[in-house]
Amino acid sequence: GAVDLIKAVLPGMRARGSGHVVNISSMTGLVANPPNVYYSASKFALEALTEGLAKEVAPFGIRVTAIEPGAFRTDWSSRSMQETRTPSEAYAATVGARKQLIKAAGSRFPGDPRKVAEAVLRVSEMAEPPLHLLLGHDVYKAYREKLTALLASIEEWKDVTLDVNFPPEPRT
């Protein structure tokens, strides 16, 4: 859906020399956890689309932003949640337990949907909006933890990372 809509609006934006694509991603587009790994995969793809598209269309005066809300009080954890009719017992302690936690906490999630809408409107009017806008204490904390762990892993494996190229050609 996002790709089709972007394809539909980009020609007009390019012709005007301005525009702003706002993609609604998710905390799970930045940090994947059970039980929604397939949803996360689609949101990770939207993150890549947002990042690459921003670089492609910037010369045309078009801005691109990904909105990454955390847990908000909407019906996504209740009425909208699609569940398998045949859950696997092998995942009961991981996927099943986390799914039950999400369902139980849904009505108490800290995020206010009205404030998300206000933030999206604010970003849509900015001359220089952010590429990514994290919304909520939970996504802020989770993404900072992920980035810290990623940087630690990069440094831990730096020698292996840098040792895979051919040696430099001798200078003549």
Side-chain angles (χ1 to χ4, degrees):
V3 172
D4 288 342
L5 186 57
I6 290 167
K7 285 180 175 181
V9 300
L10 275 183
M13 290 181 176
R14 282 193 308 267
R16 282 190 309 278
S18 68
H20 192 172
V21 175
V22 178
N23 288 324
I24 305 300
S25 183
S26 169
M27 174 177 172
T28 64
L30 300 171
V31 180
N33 287 305
N36 47 3
V37 295
Y38 295 116
Y39 180 74
S40 288
S42 68
K43 292 300 187 176
F44 268 71
L46 186 61
E47 293 289 330
L49 173 69
T50 300
E51 186 177 315
L53 184 65
K55 294 172 184 174
E56 284 184 15
V57 301
F60 302 107
I62 302 168
R63 302 166 318 278
V64 184
T65 300
I67 305 292
E68 291 106 352
F72 283 77
R73 288 184 198 168
T74 64
D75 74 350
W76 75 268
S77 67
S78 57
R79 184 176 57 91
S80 294
M81 184 184 286
Q82 298 295 312
E83 299 182 63
T84 181
R85 296 178 200 268
T86 56
S88 171
E89 276 303 310
Y91 295 101
T94 55
V95 174
R98 185 159 168 89
K99 182 171 56 173
Q100 293 309 315
L101 176 73
I102 290 168
K103 289 169 75 171
S107 64
R108 298 185 319 273
F109 286 142
D112 180 349
R114 180 177 301 280
K115 290 183 179 180
V116 172
E118 291 168 358
V120 171
L121 288 173
R122 180 176 168 198
V123 165
S124 71
E125 297 169 350
M126 296 175 78
E128 294 185 30
L131 177 60
H132 301 276
L133 182 61
L134 284 63
L135 296 176
H137 293 267
D138 53 349
V139 65
Y140 179 82
K141 179 180 183 277
Y143 199 45
R144 286 186 55 90
E145 288 172 357
K146 177 181 177 172
L147 291 174
T148 299
L150 180 59
L151 287 171
S153 177
I154 288 169
E155 289 306 311
E156 179 183 354
W157 291 94
K158 179 180 177 181
D159 292 341
V160 175
T161 298
L162 300 178
D163 191 41
V164 298
N165 293 353
F166 289 107
E169 298 286 329
R171 293 185 175 211
T172 57

